[in-house]
Amino acid sequence: MADLQTTYMGIKLKNPLIVASSTLTSNLDKIVKCEQAGAGAVILKSLFEEQINIDRAKMLEGASDMGYADGYDFFMGYGKSHFLDDYVELVMQAKERVSIPVIPSVNCVTGGEWIEYAERFESVGADGLELNTFVIPSDVSKNASYFEEIYLDLARKIKKQVKIPVAMKVSPHFTDMAGFVKKLADIGIDGIVMFNRFYRPDVDIDNLIMKHAPILSSPQEIYLALQWIALLSGEIESDFCATTGVWDGEGLIKQLLVGAKSIQMCSALIKNGLHIIPEILSELEGWMDKKGFSSIADFNGKLCQESSDNPEIYERNQYIKAVVGIE
Ligand SMILES: Cc1cc2nc3c(=O)[nH]c(=O)nc-3n(C[C@H](O)[C@H](O)[C@H](O)COP(=O)(O)O)c2cc1C
């Protein structure tokens, strides 16, 4: 029978299916359910810088008539440690309760104060850390390197701070994707998670207002990450993890074939329930048996650009085939 074990950022996984950072991993009961359903690991719901700020602001409002001069500093400190304590406690409890790897996630837009928090995850046994950096490059007065530097600065600082493996969940909005990911790898970022799926706006044409685009992805959204992982996984030393648009066993197999070491799922699990995890894993197992692969390593990355017989024409070949084939 096929062996589904794999390694992502040096972390051993019993299978490559990770439950993505989301409401599915926001508390202990849910994390336990992910393990019971058969997930290979969990990424905890992100600790948001914004939430910390809101927390602090609320407490500061209540502190306006406190009679001592350093009230502001006191509440600033309290706000941070209170919020962080809850999150660290969750990591600690999860590590006690489940045997699968537990990876906390920090949503950060600066390489500032939060970096000091990271050691606390390490001290309670977190298996790794995922950085969910949410920066939309929409400021016309800034250039590409300004936005890249936000990520690179974070990467340098966090790698100095912790010994556990660090993954960066990146956006698809980079001018020089290959060069940028190479820079992250050179800094020592252990995992590249492709791609972050930002909340996007839509237009309500009846009421002439903006509204939220669907929060859940669709299986058609798999292709962007598939393309970039295929292009880069054979050339970059960091491990790749695919997220966005993996809805079934076929999607998972495709991402492994192009070189992802693991995949993260969220929307399909929210929509269909965690019970699809064993179904997806048995689809993977059945496919491996049928193809004669006894381990993930037997086929992982087999279809990435680097493994292609003709890597230099890989992209153009696919394009010509697609365009010529259109009637
Ligand atoms: C309700 C919801 C909450 C999410 N919360 C987070 C989060 O806290 N941190 C994060 O990095 N990603 C978050 N995500 C993004 C997911 O981790 C995932 O990357 C994205 O949904 C794409 O994967 P999918 O196509 O399998 O849904 C969230 C997604 C959803 C739908």
Side-chain angles (χ1 to χ4, degrees):
M1 200 154 86
D3 178 2
L4 302 189
Q5 287 182 83
T6 187
T7 303
Y8 168 56
M9 305 197 291
I11 305 167
K12 286 202 173 105
L13 307 182
K14 65 179 178 181
N15 68 64
L17 196 163
I18 299 174
V19 178
S21 175
S22 65
T23 41
L24 292 166
T25 57
S26 59
N27 65 39
L28 189 60
D29 284 350
K30 292 179 179 184
I31 294 164
V32 170
K33 284 192 177 121
C34 290
E35 179 180 55
Q36 285 167 349
V42 282
I43 315 288
L44 303 192
K45 177 144 185 66
S46 300
L47 175 67
F48 277 76
E49 251 184 292
E50 285 85 349
Q51 283 177 299
I52 299 170
N53 292 339
I54 289 166
D55 227 19
R56 275 193 277 170
K58 274 193 208 145
M59 278 183 264
L60 281 170
E61 269 171 36
S64 56
D65 22 304
M66 297 292 290
Y68 46 88
D70 60 351
Y72 181 84
D73 287 340
F74 171 78
F75 278 96
M76 289 286 274
Y78 177 72
K80 276 183 290 187
S81 69
H82 179 71
F83 193 87
L84 178 66
D85 284 349
D86 287 350
Y87 198 82
V88 171
E89 179 74 20
L90 176 63
V91 179
M92 195 163 69
Q93 288 176 355
K95 283 301 297 173
E96 279 165 14
R97 284 286 294 281
V98 299
S99 57
I100 54 174
V102 174
I103 301 177
S105 161
V106 179
N107 180 302
C108 44
V109 286
T110 69
E113 286 179 325
W114 77 267
I115 297 271
E116 336 163 345
Y117 307 164
E119 280 172 348
R120 294 194 59 193
F121 305 135
E122 199 166 47
S123 71
V124 292
D127 295 274
L129 176 66
E130 185 170 287
L131 303 188
N132 172 21
T133 308
F134 191 99
V135 185
I136 298 273
S138 60
D139 185 339
V140 293
S141 69
K142 307 282 194 303
N143 61 18
S145 31
Y146 170 86
F147 290 103
E148 277 188 12
E149 190 49 35
I150 294 174
Y151 288 76
L152 298 173
D153 178 57
L154 269 167
R156 280 183 217 107
K157 288 181 175 153
I158 195 69
K159 280 304 290 181
K160 277 198 192 130
Q161 195 76 13
V162 294
K163 292 184 195 68
I164 48 175
V166 178
M168 197 166 252
K169 192 173 187 181
V170 297
S171 109
H173 307 297
F174 286 98
T175 308
D176 172 20
M177 180 64 78
F180 168 68
V181 170
K182 173 84 171 66
K183 282 180 200 158
L184 287 179
D186 289 346
I187 288 169
I189 288 296
D190 307 86
I192 309 289
V193 184
M194 284 185 159
F195 284 111
N196 212 336
R197 187 172 181 276
F198 297 134
Y199 288 105
R200 293 158 309 167
D202 192 3
V203 175
D204 177 340
I205 61 167
D206 293 324
N207 299 304
L208 275 69
I209 53 169
M210 299 302 291
K211 61 178 185 179
H212 291 295
I215 286 176
L216 300 187
S217 73
S218 69
Q220 288 71 36
E221 291 179 50
I222 195 176
Y223 299 107
L224 190 61
L226 189 85
Q227 177 182 30
W228 279 106
I229 293 172
L231 290 171
L232 300 180
S233 62
E235 300 211 48
I236 304 280
E237 264 190 42
S238 314
D239 283 351
F240 283 77
C241 176
T243 177
T244 296
V246 179
W247 273 66
D248 51 24
E250 189 179 339
L252 179 145
I253 293 165
K254 286 179 182 177
Q255 293 288 18
L256 293 173
L257 276 167
V258 298
K261 296 281 182 206
S262 62
I263 64 100
Q264 294 182 18
M265 289 184 68
C266 170
S267 295
L269 301 178
I270 291 178
K271 177 95 190 298
N272 301 322
L274 293 176
H275 67 86
I276 67 166
I277 293 179
E279 292 168 19
I280 290 171
L281 294 174
S282 95
E283 198 179 332
L284 169 63
E285 219 169 0
W287 176 84
M288 286 170 67
D289 288 341
K290 202 169 81 187
K291 296 286 174 197
F293 297 130
S294 54
S295 72
I296 301 279
D298 285 350
F299 67 94
N300 198 192
K302 209 173 167 58
L303 299 185
C304 73
Q305 185 186 37
E306 189 72 4
S307 305
S308 158
D309 293 339
N310 239 334
E312 70 283 358
I313 57 163
Y314 183 89
E315 289 162 81
R316 184 150 179 82
N317 245 354
Q318 308 305 317
Y319 174 72
I320 293 169
K321 278 184 200 161
V323 173
V324 171
I326 292 170
E327 297 283 313

